[in-house]
mmCIF file with all atom_site columns, all heavy atoms in Angstrom:
data_model
loop_
_atom_site.group_PDB
_atom_site.id
_atom_site.type_symbol
_atom_site.label_atom_id
_atom_site.label_alt_id
_atom_site.label_comp_id
_atom_site.label_asym_id
_atom_site.label_entity_id
_atom_site.label_seq_id
_atom_site.pdbx_PDB_ins_code
_atom_site.Cartn_x
_atom_site.Cartn_y
_atom_site.Cartn_z
_atom_site.occupancy
_atom_site.B_iso_or_equiv
_atom_site.pdbx_formal_charge
_atom_site.auth_seq_id
_atom_site.auth_comp_id
_atom_site.auth_asym_id
_atom_site.auth_atom_id
_atom_site.pdbx_PDB_model_num
ATOM 1   N N   . LEU A 1 95  ? 124.188 0.084   -150.551 1.00 93.00 ? 101 LEU A N   1
ATOM 2   C CA  . LEU A 1 95  ? 124.797 -0.093  -151.807 1.00 93.00 ? 101 LEU A CA  1
ATOM 3   C C   . LEU A 1 95  ? 126.141 -0.790  -151.699 1.00 93.00 ? 101 LEU A C   1
ATOM 4   O O   . LEU A 1 95  ? 126.664 -1.650  -152.542 1.00 93.00 ? 101 LEU A O   1
ATOM 5   C CB  . LEU A 1 95  ? 125.063 1.271   -152.468 1.00 93.00 ? 101 LEU A CB  1
ATOM 6   C CG  . LEU A 1 95  ? 123.833 2.081   -152.919 1.00 93.00 ? 101 LEU A CG  1
ATOM 7   C CD1 . LEU A 1 95  ? 124.136 3.363   -153.475 1.00 93.00 ? 101 LEU A CD1 1
ATOM 8   C CD2 . LEU A 1 95  ? 123.067 1.216   -154.079 1.00 93.00 ? 101 LEU A CD2 1
ATOM 9   N N   . ALA A 1 96  ? 126.909 -0.395  -150.572 1.00 93.00 ? 102 ALA A N   1
ATOM 10  C CA  . ALA A 1 96  ? 128.134 -1.143  -150.305 1.00 93.00 ? 102 ALA A CA  1
ATOM 11  C C   . ALA A 1 96  ? 128.023 -2.600  -150.075 1.00 93.00 ? 102 ALA A C   1
ATOM 12  O O   . ALA A 1 96  ? 128.832 -3.429  -150.582 1.00 93.00 ? 102 ALA A O   1
ATOM 13  C CB  . ALA A 1 96  ? 128.843 -0.472  -149.071 1.00 93.00 ? 102 ALA A CB  1
ATOM 14  N N   . LYS A 1 97  ? 126.916 -2.965  -149.261 1.00 91.00 ? 103 LYS A N   1
ATOM 15  C CA  . LYS A 1 97  ? 126.767 -4.435  -149.040 1.00 91.00 ? 103 LYS A CA  1
ATOM 16  C C   . LYS A 1 97  ? 126.246 -5.100  -150.265 1.00 91.00 ? 103 LYS A C   1
ATOM 17  O O   . LYS A 1 97  ? 126.654 -6.284  -150.574 1.00 91.00 ? 103 LYS A O   1
ATOM 18  C CB  . LYS A 1 97  ? 125.731 -4.541  -147.841 1.00 91.00 ? 103 LYS A CB  1
ATOM 19  C CG  . LYS A 1 97  ? 126.075 -3.976  -146.552 1.00 91.00 ? 103 LYS A CG  1
ATOM 20  C CD  . LYS A 1 97  ? 127.336 -4.709  -145.947 1.00 91.00 ? 103 LYS A CD  1
ATOM 21  C CE  . LYS A 1 97  ? 127.740 -4.343  -144.636 1.00 91.00 ? 103 LYS A CE  1
ATOM 22  N NZ  . LYS A 1 97  ? 128.965 -4.938  -144.020 1.00 91.00 ? 103 LYS A NZ  1
ATOM 23  N N   . LYS A 1 98  ? 125.448 -4.520  -151.018 1.00 91.00 ? 104 LYS A N   1
ATOM 24  C CA  . LYS A 1 98  ? 124.939 -5.056  -152.342 1.00 91.00 ? 104 LYS A CA  1
ATOM 25  C C   . LYS A 1 98  ? 126.205 -5.237  -153.301 1.00 91.00 ? 104 LYS A C   1
ATOM 26  O O   . LYS A 1 98  ? 126.073 -6.336  -153.975 1.00 91.00 ? 104 LYS A O   1
ATOM 27  C CB  . LYS A 1 98  ? 123.900 -4.052  -152.895 1.00 91.00 ? 104 LYS A CB  1
ATOM 28  C CG  . LYS A 1 98  ? 123.225 -4.635  -154.149 1.00 91.00 ? 104 LYS A CG  1
ATOM 29  C CD  . LYS A 1 98  ? 122.125 -3.718  -154.690 1.00 91.00 ? 104 LYS A CD  1
ATOM 30  C CE  . LYS A 1 98  ? 121.481 -4.257  -155.915 1.00 91.00 ? 104 LYS A CE  1
ATOM 31  N NZ  . LYS A 1 98  ? 120.474 -3.313  -156.515 1.00 91.00 ? 104 LYS A NZ  1
ATOM 32  N N   . GLY A 1 99  ? 127.100 -4.235  -153.254 1.00 92.00 ? 105 GLY A N   1
ATOM 33  C CA  . GLY A 1 99  ? 128.182 -4.471  -154.203 1.00 92.00 ? 105 GLY A CA  1
ATOM 34  C C   . GLY A 1 99  ? 129.064 -5.738  -153.947 1.00 92.00 ? 105 GLY A C   1
ATOM 35  O O   . GLY A 1 99  ? 129.710 -6.341  -154.829 1.00 92.00 ? 105 GLY A O   1
ATOM 36  N N   . LYS A 1 100 ? 129.032 -6.291  -152.618 1.00 89.00 ? 106 LYS A N   1
ATOM 37  C CA  . LYS A 1 100 ? 129.854 -7.323  -152.339 1.00 89.00 ? 106 LYS A CA  1
ATOM 38  C C   . LYS A 1 100 ? 129.283 -8.706  -153.007 1.00 89.00 ? 106 LYS A C   1
ATOM 39  O O   . LYS A 1 100 ? 129.977 -9.663  -153.062 1.00 89.00 ? 106 LYS A O   1
ATOM 40  C CB  . LYS A 1 100 ? 129.892 -7.583  -150.847 1.00 89.00 ? 106 LYS A CB  1
ATOM 41  C CG  . LYS A 1 100 ? 130.819 -6.514  -150.136 1.00 89.00 ? 106 LYS A CG  1
ATOM 42  C CD  . LYS A 1 100 ? 130.938 -6.878  -148.639 1.00 89.00 ? 106 LYS A CD  1
ATOM 43  C CE  . LYS A 1 100 ? 131.843 -5.889  -147.973 1.00 89.00 ? 106 LYS A CE  1
ATOM 44  N NZ  . LYS A 1 100 ? 132.124 -6.130  -146.568 1.00 89.00 ? 106 LYS A NZ  1
ATOM 45  N N   . LEU A 1 101 ? 128.071 -8.586  -153.405 1.00 90.00 ? 107 LEU A N   1
ATOM 46  C CA  . LEU A 1 101 ? 127.422 -9.856  -153.995 1.00 90.00 ? 107 LEU A CA  1
ATOM 47  C C   . LEU A 1 101 ? 127.912 -9.977  -155.390 1.00 90.00 ? 107 LEU A C   1
ATOM 48  O O   . LEU A 1 101 ? 127.809 -11.150 -155.936 1.00 90.00 ? 107 LEU A O   1
ATOM 49  C CB  . LEU A 1 101 ? 125.880 -9.652  -153.949 1.00 90.00 ? 107 LEU A CB  1
ATOM 50  C CG  . LEU A 1 101 ? 125.341 -9.807  -152.554 1.00 90.00 ? 107 LEU A CG  1
ATOM 51  C CD1 . LEU A 1 101 ? 123.798 -9.324  -152.641 1.00 90.00 ? 107 LEU A CD1 1
ATOM 52  C CD2 . LEU A 1 101 ? 125.312 -11.187 -152.043 1.00 90.00 ? 107 LEU A CD2 1
ATOM 53  N N   . SER A 1 102 ? 128.463 -8.967  -156.093 1.00 91.00 ? 108 SER A N   1
ATOM 54  C CA  . SER A 1 102 ? 128.878 -9.114  -157.445 1.00 91.00 ? 108 SER A CA  1
ATOM 55  C C   . SER A 1 102 ? 130.435 -9.158  -157.452 1.00 91.00 ? 108 SER A C   1
ATOM 56  O O   . SER A 1 102 ? 131.123 -8.724  -156.529 1.00 91.00 ? 108 SER A O   1
ATOM 57  C CB  . SER A 1 102 ? 128.410 -7.849  -158.158 1.00 91.00 ? 108 SER A CB  1
ATOM 58  O OG  . SER A 1 102 ? 126.904 -7.727  -158.167 1.00 91.00 ? 108 SER A OG  1
ATOM 59  N N   . PRO A 1 103 ? 130.906 -9.688  -158.578 1.00 91.00 ? 109 PRO A N   1
ATOM 60  C CA  . PRO A 1 103 ? 132.434 -9.725  -158.725 1.00 91.00 ? 109 PRO A CA  1
ATOM 61  C C   . PRO A 1 103 ? 132.927 -8.254  -158.812 1.00 91.00 ? 109 PRO A C   1
ATOM 62  O O   . PRO A 1 103 ? 132.314 -7.548  -159.347 1.00 91.00 ? 109 PRO A O   1
ATOM 63  C CB  . PRO A 1 103 ? 132.586 -10.546 -160.024 1.00 91.00 ? 109 PRO A CB  1
ATOM 64  C CG  . PRO A 1 103 ? 131.307 -11.200 -160.246 1.00 91.00 ? 109 PRO A CG  1
ATOM 65  C CD  . PRO A 1 103 ? 130.215 -10.333 -159.704 1.00 91.00 ? 109 PRO A CD  1
ATOM 66  N N   . THR A 1 104 ? 134.205 -8.179  -158.293 1.00 91.00 ? 110 THR A N   1
ATOM 67  C CA  . THR A 1 104 ? 134.902 -6.811  -158.548 1.00 91.00 ? 110 THR A CA  1
ATOM 68  C C   . THR A 1 104 ? 135.856 -7.194  -159.712 1.00 91.00 ? 110 THR A C   1
ATOM 69  O O   . THR A 1 104 ? 136.639 -8.151  -159.798 1.00 91.00 ? 110 THR A O   1
ATOM 70  C CB  . THR A 1 104 ? 135.698 -6.484  -157.255 1.00 91.00 ? 110 THR A CB  1
ATOM 71  O OG1 . THR A 1 104 ? 136.579 -7.564  -156.892 1.00 91.00 ? 110 THR A OG1 1
ATOM 72  C CG2 . THR A 1 104 ? 134.720 -6.249  -156.110 1.00 91.00 ? 110 THR A CG2 1
ATOM 73  N N   . VAL A 1 105 ? 135.823 -6.293  -160.723 1.00 92.00 ? 111 VAL A N   1
ATOM 74  C CA  . VAL A 1 105 ? 136.788 -6.214  -161.778 1.00 92.00 ? 111 VAL A CA  1
ATOM 75  C C   . VAL A 1 105 ? 137.435 -5.058  -161.854 1.00 92.00 ? 111 VAL A C   1
ATOM 76  O O   . VAL A 1 105 ? 136.923 -3.942  -161.896 1.00 92.00 ? 111 VAL A O   1
ATOM 77  C CB  . VAL A 1 105 ? 135.893 -6.473  -163.171 1.00 92.00 ? 111 VAL A CB  1
ATOM 78  C CG1 . VAL A 1 105 ? 136.788 -6.658  -164.393 1.00 92.00 ? 111 VAL A CG1 1
ATOM 79  C CG2 . VAL A 1 105 ? 135.077 -7.793  -163.007 1.00 92.00 ? 111 VAL A CG2 1
ATOM 80  N N   . SER A 1 106 ? 138.781 -5.157  -162.084 1.00 93.00 ? 112 SER A N   1
ATOM 81  C CA  . SER A 1 106 ? 139.568 -4.089  -162.207 1.00 93.00 ? 112 SER A CA  1
ATOM 82  C C   . SER A 1 106 ? 140.625 -4.161  -163.329 1.00 93.00 ? 112 SER A C   1
ATOM 83  O O   . SER A 1 106 ? 140.965 -5.290  -163.787 1.00 93.00 ? 112 SER A O   1
ATOM 84  C CB  . SER A 1 106 ? 140.455 -3.746  -160.920 1.00 93.00 ? 112 SER A CB  1
ATOM 85  O OG  . SER A 1 106 ? 141.218 -4.954  -160.604 1.00 93.00 ? 112 SER A OG  1
ATOM 86  N N   . ALA A 1 107 ? 141.106 -3.133  -163.910 1.00 94.00 ? 113 ALA A N   1
ATOM 87  C CA  . ALA A 1 107 ? 142.127 -3.146  -164.948 1.00 94.00 ? 113 ALA A CA  1
ATOM 88  C C   . ALA A 1 107 ? 143.349 -2.480  -164.424 1.00 94.00 ? 113 ALA A C   1
ATOM 89  O O   . ALA A 1 107 ? 143.300 -1.514  -163.657 1.00 94.00 ? 113 ALA A O   1
ATOM 90  C CB  . ALA A 1 107 ? 141.579 -2.371  -166.159 1.00 94.00 ? 113 ALA A CB  1
ATOM 91  N N   . GLY A 1 108 ? 144.607 -2.972  -164.906 1.00 91.00 ? 114 GLY A N   1
ATOM 92  C CA  . GLY A 1 108 ? 145.780 -2.385  -164.550 1.00 91.00 ? 114 GLY A CA  1
ATOM 93  C C   . GLY A 1 108 ? 146.985 -2.687  -165.557 1.00 91.00 ? 114 GLY A C   1
ATOM 94  O O   . GLY A 1 108 ? 146.804 -3.550  -166.357 1.00 91.00 ? 114 GLY A O   1
ATOM 95  N N   . ILE A 1 109 ? 147.956 -1.835  -165.434 1.00 91.00 ? 115 ILE A N   1
ATOM 96  C CA  . ILE A 1 109 ? 149.159 -2.064  -166.186 1.00 91.00 ? 115 ILE A CA  1
ATOM 97  C C   . ILE A 1 109 ? 150.379 -2.004  -165.197 1.00 91.00 ? 115 ILE A C   1
ATOM 98  O O   . ILE A 1 109 ? 150.164 -1.281  -164.227 1.00 91.00 ? 115 ILE A O   1
ATOM 99  C CB  . ILE A 1 109 ? 149.284 -1.047  -167.354 1.00 91.00 ? 115 ILE A CB  1
ATOM 100 C CG1 . ILE A 1 109 ? 149.335 0.436   -166.742 1.00 91.00 ? 115 ILE A CG1 1
ATOM 101 C CG2 . ILE A 1 109 ? 148.180 -1.148  -168.393 1.00 91.00 ? 115 ILE A CG2 1
ATOM 102 C CD1 . ILE A 1 109 ? 149.566 1.497   -167.888 1.00 91.00 ? 115 ILE A CD1 1
ATOM 103 N N   . GLY A 1 110 ? 151.470 -2.637  -165.614 1.00 89.00 ? 116 GLY A N   1
ATOM 104 C CA  . GLY A 1 110 ? 152.598 -2.524  -164.758 1.00 89.00 ? 116 GLY A CA  1
ATOM 105 C C   . GLY A 1 110 ? 153.860 -2.712  -165.550 1.00 89.00 ? 116 GLY A C   1
ATOM 106 O O   . GLY A 1 110 ? 153.889 -3.320  -166.694 1.00 89.00 ? 116 GLY A O   1
ATOM 107 N N   . ALA A 1 111 ? 154.985 -2.294  -164.977 1.00 88.00 ? 117 ALA A N   1
ATOM 108 C CA  . ALA A 1 111 ? 156.344 -2.533  -165.598 1.00 88.00 ? 117 ALA A CA  1
ATOM 109 C C   . ALA A 1 111 ? 157.246 -2.732  -164.468 1.00 88.00 ? 117 ALA A C   1
ATOM 110 O O   . ALA A 1 111 ? 157.148 -2.171  -163.315 1.00 88.00 ? 117 ALA A O   1
ATOM 111 C CB  . ALA A 1 111 ? 156.741 -1.411  -166.306 1.00 88.00 ? 117 ALA A CB  1
ATOM 112 N N   . GLY A 1 112 ? 158.342 -3.642  -164.728 1.00 86.00 ? 118 GLY A N   1
ATOM 113 C CA  . GLY A 1 112 ? 159.372 -3.957  -163.709 1.00 86.00 ? 118 GLY A CA  1
ATOM 114 C C   . GLY A 1 112 ? 160.614 -4.465  -164.236 1.00 86.00 ? 118 GLY A C   1
ATOM 115 O O   . GLY A 1 112 ? 160.666 -4.684  -165.443 1.00 86.00 ? 118 GLY A O   1
ATOM 116 N N   . LEU A 1 113 ? 161.524 -4.584  -163.426 1.00 85.00 ? 119 LEU A N   1
ATOM 117 C CA  . LEU A 1 113 ? 162.942 -5.069  -163.854 1.00 85.00 ? 119 LEU A CA  1
ATOM 118 C C   . LEU A 1 113 ? 163.440 -6.029  -162.687 1.00 85.00 ? 119 LEU A C   1
ATOM 119 O O   . LEU A 1 113 ? 163.280 -5.699  -161.517 1.00 85.00 ? 119 LEU A O   1
ATOM 120 C CB  . LEU A 1 113 ? 163.872 -3.913  -164.057 1.00 85.00 ? 119 LEU A CB  1
ATOM 121 C CG  . LEU A 1 113 ? 165.245 -4.216  -164.714 1.00 85.00 ? 119 LEU A CG  1
ATOM 122 C CD1 . LEU A 1 113 ? 165.125 -4.644  -166.049 1.00 85.00 ? 119 LEU A CD1 1
ATOM 123 C CD2 . LEU A 1 113 ? 166.158 -2.953  -164.541 1.00 85.00 ? 119 LEU A CD2 1
#
Side-chain angles (χ1 to χ4, degrees):
L101 294 176
K103 296 297 183 182
K104 185 178 179 181
K106 288 186 176 182
L107 290 168
S108 303
T110 57
V111 180
S112 57
I115 57 174
L119 188 65

